[in-house]
Amino acid sequence: MTTTQILKLDDPAQQKQPGALRTIGRMIRVIWSNNKAKLGMIILALFILVAIFAPLLAPYGAQTNTFERNADASPAHWLGTTAAGEDVLSQLIYGAQVSVLVGFVAGILATLVAVAVGLSWGYIRGFGADVIGFIVNLFLVIPALPLMIVIAAYLQNGGFGVIIAVIVVTGWAWGARVLRSQTQSLRGRDFVTAARFSGDRAGRIVFREILPNMTSLIVGSFFGAATSAILAEAGLEFLGLGDSSIVSWGTILYWAQNSNSLLTGQWVLLFAPGLCIALLAMSLTLINFGVDAVSNPRLREGTKK
């Protein structure tokens, strides 16, 4: 064996990268082996593809309103038209872009805040932990929906940024508390004690030693946050607290309610976006079953007890 090969084997970067790739591959295989998670991944992939290729899939523009108003389903308009003369199917396809974007962006940001707060809260001791605990418990005690409505009403018509900010502010506390409990459990492990005695700083111990052992929990927290974000975005838009000029599943429900769609027989305006919201949220929940199986082998399907 040459000196170059020995140096490559001793290089931490050369050792950690294959291990990380194998870990990610193993997680994906375990998640895919779960039938519920597999169904959720297929549904989620369909919605993502629809959101990406919406301009190609939609028969008309999202806000094209030159058609007959309140028209029933026909070969030209498979789901009919709205009270403003817009094609319902086209709006439904374009609406997937908003829900997928808001769900993933808000879910990622809420998870990042939860990870930073939860790991710091679980590792440190003393007055700093008490302050963080007070803030987290305050957000947990305050009802999320009323707080979300108040903030969104105060910052009304702010666009995507405001909706995402409101969801992140009200959706990080639960994940932080869960991660804090796991961090406290890992804090007393031998490898953490060894890192502490070797002189590693607290930040390196938290994010290099403890964090990699919480991957499945963090991924599960992300899917939970993304599910809550999708439902919250649709709820705020339905209440008229978002930007009513954009096309999303929530705004379709909002305008359908304003035009009394049920009284005019346009029930599809409420049923179709509601079904899409439910399916997208359900897909993330189903994937969470596979994520749980990553951290708990007893939950894996097809394994012997």
Side-chain angles (χ1 to χ4, degrees):
M1 183 178 293
T2 64
T3 305
T4 304
Q5 291 175 332
I6 295 174
L7 291 176
K8 286 183 178 180
L9 290 176
D10 292 336
D11 187 4
Q14 296 292 334
Q15 295 177 358
K16 291 181 180 180
Q17 186 174 2
L21 294 177
R22 284 197 297 267
T23 301
I24 294 174
R26 182 180 62 84
M27 287 181 59
I28 295 176
R29 287 195 300 270
V30 172
I31 294 174
W32 183 255
S33 65
N34 186 285
N35 293 328
K36 295 177 182 178
K38 185 184 298 185
L39 176 61
M41 293 175 71
I42 294 173
I43 296 175
L44 179 61
L46 290 176
F47 277 114
I48 293 176
L49 291 176
V50 168
I52 294 174
F53 298 104
L56 300 177
L57 297 176
Y60 308 101
Q63 296 179 332
T64 304
N65 56 358
T66 57
F67 308 109
E68 179 185 356
R69 298 184 177 184
N70 293 326
D72 295 330
S74 64
H77 306 285
W78 289 5
L79 298 180
T81 60
T82 66
E86 300 160 331
D87 182 65
V88 177
L89 179 60
S90 300
Q91 288 201 325
L92 205 64
I93 293 174
Y94 276 98
Q97 294 179 329
V98 175
S99 293
V100 171
L101 178 63
V102 171
F104 275 83
V105 173
I108 291 173
L109 294 178
T111 303
L112 291 177
V113 175
V115 168
V117 175
L119 268 66
S120 302
W121 184 22
Y123 186 80
I124 64 176
R125 293 290 186 270
F127 179 74
D130 295 336
V131 172
I132 298 176
F134 173 78
I135 296 174
V136 174
N137 291 328
L138 181 63
F139 275 90
L140 289 173
V141 169
I142 298 176
L145 182 59
L147 178 62
M148 192 181 301
I149 292 174
V150 170
I151 298 176
Y154 181 75
L155 302 173
Q156 194 169 2
N157 294 326
F160 286 132
V162 170
I163 294 294
I164 292 174
V166 170
I167 294 172
V168 172
V169 168
T170 58
W172 61 270
W174 181 85
R177 190 172 186 85
V178 174
L179 294 173
R180 179 245 187 177
S181 301
Q182 185 67 12
T183 303
Q184 285 185 324
S185 175
L186 295 174
R187 191 178 186 274
R189 298 290 179 87
D190 293 339
F191 66 92
V192 176
T193 304
R196 191 184 302 116
F197 279 113
S198 65
D200 291 342
R201 292 178 297 178
R204 186 187 184 283
I205 295 175
V206 169
F207 293 103
R208 295 292 297 274
E209 302 292 341
I210 296 178
L211 181 61
N213 293 280
M214 305 172 65
T215 304
S216 60
L217 191 62
I218 294 172
V219 173
S221 177
F222 161 73
F223 282 115
T227 303
S228 300
I230 292 169
L231 298 176
E233 182 274 332
L236 292 176
E237 294 286 2
F238 174 70
L239 294 175
L241 299 176
D243 187 358
S244 58
S245 63
I246 64 175
V247 177
S248 68
W249 294 336
T251 55
I252 295 175
L253 293 172
Y254 170 75
W255 290 115
Q257 178 68 19
N258 285 351
S259 60
N260 296 321
S261 298
L262 290 179
L263 297 179
T264 59
Q266 295 290 101
W267 57 269
V268 71
L269 290 175
L270 296 173
F271 176 77
L275 178 62
C276 290
I277 294 169
L279 287 175
L280 182 55
M282 183 189 72
S283 68
L284 298 175
T285 303
L286 291 175
I287 296 174
N288 237 344
F289 285 102
V291 175
D292 291 338
V294 173
S295 58
N296 189 354
R298 295 182 179 181
L299 299 177
R300 298 179 187 177
E301 296 182 358
T303 58
K304 297 181 179 180
K305 295 184 180 180

